[in-house]
Amino acid sequence: AIPLIAQELRSQDRDSREKAAEALSNIGRAAVPALMDALRDSDLQKDGLICRALGHIGPDAALAVPELEELAKSSDVGIRLYALGTLARVAKDPTEAVQTLVGFVNDKEHAAGAASQLAGAGPRAQKAGPALLDGFQSEHGDRWSKPALARAFGSIRYEPAIPHLIHALEDRDEEVRAAAASALGGFGPLAAPAIPALVERIRSDRSQMSCGVAGAAAASLMAIGEKAVPAILGIIDLKTHSGYTGAHYMLYWMGPRAWSAVPVLLQRFGP
């Protein structure tokens, strides 16, 4: 099946290419040679789908490292970022790729792209944390790069960023607030100090908790887990512009982690 799927990588229809790349990435190591062959096609290098598929396979795609290292020398910065991000995910030692990506973090034009690639590498890119934090605090940060930098903290789990993400929940830019709220969820229980600020975002934004800043804050409270249960119970009666916040659904989706809420719910609503 691999050759037939690989043919779709050269389809004129992007949706077909995306589905083919995803299918090959799900196959895993056996599909790496086909993806490497596609990686040599200059037209396919530009949309990043092949690199993304190899990155999804992870270290099992190590056979592609030489090809990716060559691609990382491209004069096209976008292609270089894709290749470096993939190397950070598949190379046995991601240090060099991570350090090279870090060099783009303070480049206003490419900071968002570099942060996105570092985020994709997860904890393997944790050493990029200090540089990402410098970029996040820089006066050169804009409405495009700051959200990407914020999301990266949660993905690489750089704990020193937690206080800065909490502070960013008050940012005047909604995209930054939403990204900070979402990133905090990546730390799980370690983000417990953010609980009051996340609840305040839900109270202040009063939007549906399925979208926007409030939705991101709700998702992070659920990710924090048991420590967030009292705070979630505190907003169960809070109304938004479109009805109740849906805090009871949060407890439902938390499952056993929200067990401590049962006595309170029984007392309030009955059996």
Side-chain angles (χ1 to χ4, degrees):
I2 291 175
L4 290 174
I5 298 172
Q7 287 179 12
E8 289 299 306
L9 293 173
R10 292 173 170 81
S11 169
Q12 296 299 308
D13 178 57
R14 181 178 174 83
D15 186 55
S16 296
R17 296 200 305 275
E18 287 182 344
K19 289 179 180 177
E22 182 180 2
L24 290 170
S25 70
N26 288 334
I27 290 172
R29 181 182 297 178
V32 171
L35 288 166
M36 288 173 59
D37 181 61
L39 200 61
R40 300 182 187 105
D41 187 321
S42 59
D43 290 331
L44 296 180
Q45 293 170 0
K46 295 178 181 179
D47 63 11
L49 292 177
I50 310 303
C51 282
R52 189 189 311 166
L54 288 166
H56 179 78
I57 294 172
D60 278 348
L63 183 66
V65 165
E67 296 276 351
L68 290 164
E69 287 177 338
E70 283 302 309
L71 207 57
K73 300 173 186 176
S74 171
S75 59
D76 185 312
V77 177
I79 291 174
R80 287 179 66 193
L81 291 176
Y82 286 137
L84 288 165
T86 307
L87 283 167
R89 298 176 73 176
V90 309
K92 184 176 181 180
D93 181 1
T95 302
E96 184 176 350
V98 169
Q99 288 178 341
T100 306
L101 283 168
V102 162
F104 289 96
V105 169
N106 288 316
D107 179 339
K108 186 175 181 179
E109 185 178 354
H110 302 294
S116 178
Q117 294 302 324
L118 288 165
R124 286 167 63 90
Q126 198 170 83
K127 289 182 179 179
L132 289 170
L133 190 54
D134 285 345
F136 187 68
Q137 295 178 294
S138 170
E139 61 183 21
H140 300 299
D142 56 26
R143 68 183 306 268
W144 301 112
S145 61
K146 287 195 77 170
L149 291 164
R151 286 188 290 270
F153 292 130
S155 297
I156 70 173
R157 296 176 193 160
Y158 183 62
E159 291 180 41
I162 290 177
H164 301 276
L165 290 171
I166 293 173
H167 180 72
L169 291 172
E170 300 293 332
D171 196 276
R172 62 184 180 181
D173 190 305
E174 183 177 356
E175 289 290 330
V176 175
R177 296 198 305 274
S182 178
L184 285 162
F187 296 96
L190 292 174
I195 291 173
L198 290 167
V199 169
E200 183 55 33
R201 276 277 56 90
I202 292 173
R203 289 184 178 277
S204 299
D205 284 64
R206 293 290 187 92
S207 59
Q208 286 183 298
M209 294 206 304
S210 60
C211 60
V213 180
S220 286
L221 286 170
M222 289 189 285
I224 290 169
E226 188 175 354
K227 291 181 180 179
V229 169
I232 296 171
L233 285 169
I235 57 172
I236 206 161
D237 293 322
L238 179 68
K239 285 189 175 182
T240 69
H241 296 306
S242 57
Y244 290 101
T245 59
H248 51 298
Y249 286 115
M250 294 169 63
L251 296 169
Y252 171 79
W253 286 111
M254 288 173 69
R257 293 179 302 150
W259 183 251
S260 61
V262 172
V264 178
L265 293 172
L266 286 173
Q267 183 177 19
R268 186 176 301 183
F269 301 111

